[in-house]
Amino acid sequence: MKKAIYPGSFDPFTNGHLDILNRACAVFDEVIVLVAVNASKKTLFSLLERVEILKAALAGKENVRIDSYEGLTVDYARQVGARHIIRGLRAVTDFEYEFQLASANRFANHDIDMVFFMASSDHSFVSSSVVKDLRANGVDVSPLVPPAVLNAFTKKGL
Ligand code: ADP
């Protein structure tokens, strides 16, 4: 059984994330969407909210699990017996950060490899920050996020 981890902040989950996840699901038997617990990173949605959004958005996807973890993704991967970590690449600006992250992960655990999917052209500009910015300025973001995210914004009065 080939398992992979798709880690991220998911603040909130977007259709760009969903696209990467769907494509990873075509390659791996199980993909664990791992919400990063990073106390130093200020998020709009709490950890619990981000997990609840993911549960609603991904309900019915049989080979997807959702979890959260504080610590190195490679340590989580080792604990659950996964050898691959999924990430997405949009513009070249993502490359530098992702390359550094991949090198650090490989330094921490040589047995685990990163697998990258390139953003689809219709999602290449979509990020959680762009979605939050547009929504805060009254733009309809429904084409960019799953309905569960729209509900979560509404619930927050945003
Ligand atoms: P992090 O804070 O760990 O970068 P994000 O939730 O911002 O978490 O992103 C998780 C992963 O998904 C990253 O590898 C990011 O590059 C990728 N990603 C985010 N948005 C898109 C998108 N629109 N298309 C492809 N990959 C994306």
Side-chain angles (χ1 to χ4, degrees):
M1 165 115 153
K2 269 201 177 308
K3 266 190 207 178
I5 315 293
Y6 181 26
S9 309
F10 305 116
D11 183 43
F13 190 67
T14 69
N15 287 345
H17 292 127
L18 182 62
D19 175 52
I20 299 296
L21 177 65
N22 284 337
R23 287 157 62 199
C25 285
V27 177
F28 293 95
D29 300 308
E30 183 178 58
V31 180
I32 302 173
V33 181
L34 190 68
V35 186
V37 182
N38 184 346
S40 67
K41 200 164 176 178
K42 183 125 183 50
T43 56
L44 175 64
F45 293 99
S46 69
L47 176 64
L48 194 68
E49 288 168 332
R50 285 177 282 151
V51 168
E52 288 306 314
I53 290 171
L54 280 160
K55 281 188 185 157
L58 304 176
K61 281 197 179 290
E62 291 203 339
N63 58 343
V64 172
R65 272 209 294 137
I66 296 146
D67 204 354
S68 57
Y69 187 68
E70 183 167 12
L72 294 180
T73 307
V74 287
D75 289 339
Y76 177 90
R78 193 185 355 231
Q79 281 171 27
V80 298
R83 298 193 60 176
H84 295 94
I85 295 175
I86 311 291
R87 297 286 289 178
L89 285 175
R90 286 159 295 188
V92 268
T93 42
D94 276 348
F95 178 83
E96 212 168 319
Y97 173 68
E98 294 292 342
F99 185 69
Q100 189 185 33
L101 190 64
S103 307
N105 280 340
R106 209 154 168 72
F107 176 76
N109 187 333
H110 209 73
D111 296 332
I112 293 173
D113 221 334
M114 312 280 292
V115 177
F116 294 93
F117 289 87
M118 306 293 277
S120 311
S121 51
D122 36 340
H123 296 123
S124 57
F125 72 98
V126 181
S127 68
S128 300
S129 321
V130 161
V131 165
K132 285 181 282 194
D133 258 14
L134 292 174
R135 173 84 183 192
N137 287 286
V139 178
D140 173 18
V141 294
S142 57
L144 309 181
V145 293
V149 174
L150 296 178
N151 294 339
F153 273 126
T154 307
K155 236 167 136 179
K156 271 198 175 303
L158 297 172

